[in-house]
Amino acid sequence: MDLVIRNASLPDGRRSIDIAIEGGRIAAVGPALPVQGAQEIDAAGDLVTPPFVDAHFHMDATLSYGLPRVNASGTLLEGIALWGELKPQLTQDALVERALQYCDWAVARGLLAIRSHVDICDPRLLAVEALLDVKRQVAPYLDLQLVAFPQDGILRSPGAFDNLKRAIAMGVDVVGGIPHFERTMADGAESVRLLCEFACERGLMVDMHCDESDDPLSRHIETLAFHSQRLGMQGRVTGSHLTSMHSMDNYYVSKLLPLIREAGVAAIANPLINITLQARHDTYPKRRGMTRVPEMLAAGIPVAFGHDCVMDPWYSLGSGDMLEVAHMGLHVAQMTGQQAMHECFLAVTETPARILGLDGYGIAPGCHADLLILDCGSTVEALRLRAARRLVLRRGKIVSESPRAGARLQLPGRPETVNFRLAR
Ligand SMILES: [Zn+2]
């Protein structure tokens, strides 16, 4: 074997497990494997997990914070206007450089697969060319999947549908949309129909920004589920954000959840962004704005958490840390039970891997040897500590290392060090 990781704890709760790796893939998983590795790593009971996956991001805008100015109101709509001011000033070199820098951060955080939306409303398709270039450059260490995203509306923005078709022809993977930003509810519904039919014809996946609004009557998710069902696209369609569901009438939601489930539509909440952008028009009480995550999970709908934004016109913080994202999702959704917290970990690992259709993801023989060793003993402890990524492996090779967390104390009669872990 090229490499054997000894004494790992796994996300499913198994302990004292060895993982044997050969040729960049996992060859065997089990207790006390009777094999020798050219290299051996003692995980010492630490959690070994497949990498983090971000199902919703905007890599064309990332790390542009303050260009050309900051978002004063903090709203989604000022963010979109600000992005509109920045677009004419973008250069391909600057886009590529910022995206590559973000991918460095992502790798250091154990985030090895990202679905990024890319704005196609600029007819030059500068950002599309830049991110396709980035996708090729990072491919050895990070899977970048691109969504053709009509930020200004596929019907509202002149030429947007043609631009979207060109972007797909250039190699963009997924069809995006933004029905709540079209001029009318009717145009929003029409945009969903057009985009789903286009994706169905081409055999592509769909991931729309859908109902990113506090308006309880923004019901484009119903239309998205309808067309997914009608066109037989189960398992290939995702609704991102779905924040209006937070504010919807409960009776209506009791009808809507089974429709989404039947249509095989997945959901992506973006906790950091939803909790900061939504309900900006509220006084008190102030809504949280994130979609109904535990209710969707209970209805059998796959739900992932996305990062959405890092230092861009919509959000001034972030560093590519999906544990921070899941930690916020857990709090906003009040998912505090043991199983619920574990599900928050799955929402930044296994679930988005399925939504993206990643091949060879997981800890089982035959899977890619893409693995993290985290400075913690369980998925819940990973969330509590936002655990350090001791080692990040891609195809069985170490691509990033971080020290364990801890501090040296100088207190009379107390231990010399702390690491914030409870020995049990
Ligand atoms: Zn987004």
Side-chain angles (χ1 to χ4, degrees), residues 213-219 244-245 247-249 252 287:
S213 159
D214 297 315
D215 174 6
L217 297 178
S218 187
R219 294 178 169 186
S244 73
M245 285 183 70
S247 301
M248 280 175 183
D249 172 71
Y252 174 67
R287 287 168 289 178

Side-chain angles (χ1 to χ4, degrees), residues 11-323:
D12 62 13
R14 280 180 287 166
R15 298 194 171 272
S16 305
I17 297 294
D18 295 350
I19 302 167
I21 294 164
E22 191 158 69
R25 288 190 184 259
I26 295 174
V29 179
L33 289 179
V35 292
Q36 278 279 304
Q39 188 188 0
E40 300 229 348
I41 295 172
D42 182 9
D46 281 348
L47 182 68
V48 177
T49 171
F52 297 113
V53 179
D54 183 0
H56 188 112
F57 195 62
H58 293 266
M59 204 172 280
D60 48 0
T62 198
L63 309 194
S64 69
Y65 180 70
L67 299 176
R69 61 185 176 84
V70 299
N71 183 336
S73 68
T75 61
L76 171 69
L77 295 178
E78 185 176 343
I80 294 175
L82 213 168
W83 175 238
E85 291 170 36
L86 177 57
K87 265 194 262 189
Q89 303 175 23
L90 291 173
T91 68
Q92 198 156 337
D93 288 349
L95 278 164
V96 170
E97 195 178 319
R98 286 197 287 262
L100 288 175
Q101 185 179 5
Y102 182 75
C103 290
D104 294 342
W105 296 5
V107 169
R109 295 292 196 194
L111 168 55
L112 300 188
I114 300 175
R115 173 183 278 184
S116 174
H117 294 254
V118 50
D119 187 0
I120 52 80
C121 286
D122 177 350
R124 298 173 300 166
L125 295 182
L126 205 76
V128 172
E129 278 182 13
L131 290 195
L132 284 168
D133 180 22
V134 170
K135 178 178 170 158
R136 278 185 293 271
Q137 290 196 52
V138 302
Y141 52 88
L142 188 147
D143 297 306
L144 180 58
Q145 189 178 77
L146 298 177
V147 185
F149 173 47
Q151 173 74 75
D152 302 325
I154 201 81
L155 297 173
R156 187 169 170 179
S157 170
F161 206 177
D162 284 338
N163 297 345
L164 183 139
K165 290 173 180 167
R166 280 164 51 216
I168 294 292
M170 287 162 71
V172 171
D173 309 279
V174 180
V175 175
I178 187 164
H180 57 276
F181 198 72
E182 303 292 352
R183 285 196 179 84
T184 62
M185 284 293 174
D187 268 8
E190 177 66 358
S191 77
V192 173
R193 183 183 71 81
L194 288 169
L195 291 163
C196 285
E197 287 180 355
F198 172 73
C200 184
E201 263 168 39
R202 307 288 177 102
L204 300 170
M205 291 190 283
V206 172
D207 185 344
M208 288 191 197
H209 284 65
C210 193
D211 303 321
E212 188 180 3
S213 159
D214 297 315
D215 174 6
L217 297 178
S218 187
R219 294 178 169 186
H220 297 297
I221 178 58
E222 179 188 89
T223 309
L224 185 62
F226 171 75
H227 289 298
S228 304
Q229 168 86 16
R230 177 177 70 85
L231 297 165
M233 297 180 76
Q234 286 87 345
R236 291 195 284 134
V237 176
T238 299
S240 277
H241 289 296
L242 307 176
T243 52
S244 73
M245 285 183 70
H246 185 95
S247 301
M248 280 175 183
D249 172 71
N250 289 331
Y251 182 82
Y252 174 67
V253 172
S254 76
K255 176 196 167 199
L256 180 61
L257 290 175
L259 288 177
I260 299 173
R261 167 82 176 101
E262 262 177 58
V265 172
I268 297 170
N270 296 293
L272 294 165
I273 307 312
N274 300 151
I275 199 68
T276 45
L277 290 186
Q278 297 312 130
R280 288 278 177 161
H281 294 73
D282 288 3
T283 55
Y284 290 93
K286 219 182 236 296
R287 287 168 289 178
R288 294 171 188 225
M290 192 169 79
T291 195
R292 303 189 188 200
V293 175
E295 293 78 6
M296 286 180 154
L297 290 169
I301 299 162
V303 184
F305 289 143
H307 206 317
D308 200 4
C309 301
V310 170
M311 303 191 75
D312 70 8
W314 295 274
Y315 189 58
S316 46
L317 304 175
S319 66
D321 184 354
M322 295 309 291
L323 285 174

